[in-house]
């Protein structure tokens, strides 16, 4: 039970760190991607004594790395854009759609049966998201731009998960992450003014927010090996924690947005339990 708990705490802190980098530090997508990637690599290096370096080179593993870099770039760029006006819990609500997509992917592969209760819960999830989006203070014109960004975000997270599962057949996740995030950060260098970025007030604080992310990667792996049921509950519990934190923080959550969020949280929790 301790490993899933530590994972939820670590990733929840990381979510607010991401918000800090994107909104408070006012980083553009390239700056955000560089800080998140480079700082995470730095802290992941401290995990190598525990995990070891393990990666098999070959044509297929190389292709998987290329895909992972593409999806990670898409994820980080879209996250940077969305967190400028979204709260962390709102972003996680959108990510709840991946529970549905993962379930449908498993149905397609014959790993799960198509169930009416899952489809009903998926409809409730989409309805909750609709309430949140409709109640958003974002104008209709900006909303039409936001939804495609959210779709790209969801798609990148889904495909990253699919290809990461394949890639772990060629090495451990920490090694793969170090490679992917190193490449991702180097790609940003031509777009950056390093001196200007480093001189930003709060730059070091932004880098330290990636420590919980590295810790979470380790505790998540331990949680998966200890108890798969509790491991499956990590995402919905994290969503609940971020939602409660948003209420405590008083992040301008209207009654309609609160209702939509509760519908989404309940839907994701039940779907996760049914799929566990």
């Amino acid at each position: 039970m301790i490993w899933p708990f530590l994972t939820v705490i670590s990733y929840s802190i990381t979510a607010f760190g991401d918000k800090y980098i994107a909104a408070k530090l006012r980083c553009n997508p390239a700056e955000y991607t560089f800080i998140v990637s480079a700082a995470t690599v730095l802290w992941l290096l401290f995990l190598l004594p525990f995990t070891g370096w393990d990666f098999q080179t070959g044509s297929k593993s190389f292709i998987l790395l290329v895909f992972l870099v593409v999806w990670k770039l898409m994820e980080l760029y879209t996250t940077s854009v969305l967190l400028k006006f979204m709260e962390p819990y709102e972003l996680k609500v959108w990510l709840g759609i991946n529970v549905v997509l993962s379930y449908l992917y498993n149905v397609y592969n014959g790993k799960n049966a198509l169930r009416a209760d899952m489809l009903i819960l998926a409809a409730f999830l989409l309805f909750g998201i609709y309430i949140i989006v409709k109640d958003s203070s974002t104008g209709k014109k900006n909303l039409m731009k936001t939804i495609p960004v959210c779709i790209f975000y969801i798609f990148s997270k889904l495909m990253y998960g699919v290809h990461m599962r394949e890639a772990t057949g060629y090495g451990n996740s920490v090694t793969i992450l170090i490679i992917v995030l190193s490449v991702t950060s180097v790609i940003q260098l031509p777009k950056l003014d390093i001196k200007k970025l480093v001189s930003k007030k709060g730059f070091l604080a932004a880098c330290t927010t990636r420590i919980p992310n590295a810790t979470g990667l380790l505790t998540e792996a331990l949680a998966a090996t200890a108890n798969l049921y509790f491991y499956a509950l990590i995402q919905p519990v994290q969503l609940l924690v971020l939602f409660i934190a948003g209420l405590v923080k008083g992040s301008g959550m209207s009654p309609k947005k609160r209702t939509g969020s509760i519908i989404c949280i309940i839907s994701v929790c039940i779907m996760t339990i049914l799929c566990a």
Side-chain angles (χ1 to χ4, degrees):
M1 185 67 180
I2 185 65
W3 300 124
F5 173 76
L6 291 176
T7 303
V8 168
I9 297 301
S10 296
Y11 283 162
S12 298
I13 295 172
T14 300
F16 284 106
D18 290 343
K19 174 69 175 179
Y20 174 80
I21 297 170
K24 301 297 182 183
L25 208 60
R26 296 181 180 179
C27 289
N28 61 39
E31 291 172 334
Y32 174 88
T33 300
F34 178 78
I35 291 175
V36 169
S37 301
T40 303
V41 168
L42 175 64
W43 303 120
L44 284 176
L45 291 175
F46 289 99
L47 295 182
L48 281 180
F50 303 98
T51 64
W53 181 272
D54 178 27
F55 187 73
Q56 302 171 24
T57 55
S59 57
K60 189 170 182 180
S61 61
F62 176 78
I63 292 172
L64 285 171
L65 285 178
V66 172
F67 274 120
L68 287 172
V69 169
V70 171
W71 304 135
K72 181 56 69 175
L73 282 169
M74 188 184 295
E75 175 198 335
L76 293 178
Y77 267 64
T78 52
T79 300
S80 172
V81 172
L82 294 172
L83 282 178
K84 289 190 183 301
F85 57 88
M86 278 187 180
E87 289 298 318
Y89 82 89
E90 292 181 83
L91 197 61
K92 285 295 177 185
V93 163
W94 277 93
L95 196 56
I97 294 176
N98 264 1
V99 176
V100 180
L101 295 177
S102 297
Y103 165 72
L104 294 175
Y105 180 79
N106 285 338
V107 170
Y108 175 78
N109 287 322
K111 295 180 180 178
N112 288 109
L114 189 62
R115 296 169 50 174
D117 53 357
M118 289 294 292
L119 296 179
I120 292 171
L121 289 166
F124 271 106
L125 173 64
L126 294 176
F127 177 65
I129 291 174
Y130 170 75
I131 294 175
I132 294 171
V133 171
K134 190 177 180 182
D135 192 59
S136 175
S137 59
T138 308
K140 287 186 178 180
K141 187 176 179 181
N142 290 330
L143 190 60
M144 295 307 295
K145 295 179 180 178
T146 300
I147 291 176
V149 177
C150 288
I151 292 172
F152 277 117
Y153 170 73
I154 294 165
F155 181 73
S156 66
K157 293 286 285 186
L158 176 67
M159 295 310 299
Y160 183 85
V162 170
H163 285 126
M164 177 58 88
R165 279 194 291 270
E166 290 186 48
T168 50
Y170 298 91
N172 64 49
S173 57
V174 170
T175 302
I176 295 168
L177 272 170
I178 289 174
I179 296 171
V180 170
L181 293 177
S182 295
V183 174
T184 302
S185 59
V186 169
I187 291 174
Q188 307 311 308
L189 290 176
K191 308 173 187 177
L192 300 177
D193 183 339
I194 295 295
K195 288 185 179 179
K196 182 180 177 181
L197 180 60
V198 174
S199 63
K200 279 191 175 187
K201 186 178 179 180
F203 174 78
L204 289 178
C207 291
T208 57
T209 63
R210 306 312 299 170
I211 296 177
N213 187 50
T215 305
L217 291 168
L218 180 61
T219 57
E220 184 179 23
L222 292 170
T225 57
N227 189 309
L228 284 176
Y229 179 74
F230 286 125
Y231 170 74
L233 292 176
I234 288 174
Q235 181 176 320
V237 172
Q238 185 191 351
L239 174 56
L240 178 61
V241 168
L242 292 175
F243 173 70
I244 294 172
L247 288 175
V248 174
K249 185 182 174 184
S251 51
M253 198 184 301
S254 67
K256 285 186 178 180
K257 186 175 285 188
R258 192 181 303 121
T259 300
S261 299
I262 291 171
I263 292 172
C264 291
I265 291 169
I266 293 173
S267 300
V268 170
C269 285
I270 297 176
M271 281 192 291
T272 305
I273 292 170
L274 291 176
C275 290

